[in-house]
């Protein structure tokens, strides 16, 4: 099973912690509205999916987590994922292409 976003899952969890008492369900509802059932945030925090970029501003506004922190985590996760895909595994070469 592919794991997504080592960094973004940590950032989302930390963002929730910044808002004392904010549950996965609460954040889910804040991000997704009436469709939020808690599963979306849970899946991100467990690394089952990444955070879609369209939710960056909303997550930042809701939790107070700086957008730059969220974006940097997403970029680092994407870079790592791309290198693993191109070089074949998690022990990818850091040689320039």
């Amino acid at each position: 099973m592919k794991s997504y976003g080592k960094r973004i899952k940590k950032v989302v969890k930390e963002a929730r912690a910044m808002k004392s008492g904010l549950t996965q369900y609460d954040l889910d509802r804040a991000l997704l509205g009436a469709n939020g059932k808690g599963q979306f945030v849970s899946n991100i925090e467990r690394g089952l999916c990444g955070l879609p970029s369209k939710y960056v501003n909303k997550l930042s506004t809701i939790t107070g987590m700086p957008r730059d922190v969220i974006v940097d985590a997403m970029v680092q996760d994407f870079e790592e994922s791309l290198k693993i895909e191109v070089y074949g595994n998690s022990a990818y070469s850091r040689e320039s292409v």
Side-chain angles (χ1 to χ4, degrees):
M1 175 193 305
K2 185 174 181 178
S3 178
Y4 294 85
K6 285 193 281 194
R7 293 165 192 85
I8 196 61
K9 71 182 190 179
K10 183 178 177 189
V11 167
V12 170
K13 199 173 231 179
E14 288 173 359
R16 266 194 326 110
M18 288 176 68
K19 282 294 232 192
S20 192
L22 187 65
T23 66
Q24 289 177 339
Y25 179 82
D26 294 335
L27 183 54
D28 223 60
R29 295 288 288 202
L31 291 171
L32 303 176
N35 293 327
K37 307 284 188 253
Q39 199 62 44
F40 178 63
V41 172
S42 174
N43 286 346
I44 293 169
E45 290 184 3
R46 291 184 295 139
L48 300 179
C49 68
L51 176 71
S53 58
K54 68 182 182 180
Y55 295 110
V56 170
N57 288 329
K58 216 170 190 181
L59 179 64
S60 177
T61 300
I62 294 164
T63 63
M65 179 66 74
R67 280 185 304 188
D68 290 346
V69 172
I70 299 166
V71 170
D72 288 347
M74 292 172 72
V75 168
Q76 290 173 7
D77 285 341
F78 176 76
E79 180 181 21
E80 182 175 299
S81 175
L82 178 62
K83 286 180 178 178
I84 289 168
E85 194 171 310
V86 169
Y87 297 121
N89 62 38
S90 60
Y92 60 83
S93 167
R94 293 195 178 262
E95 297 173 24
S96 59
V97 178

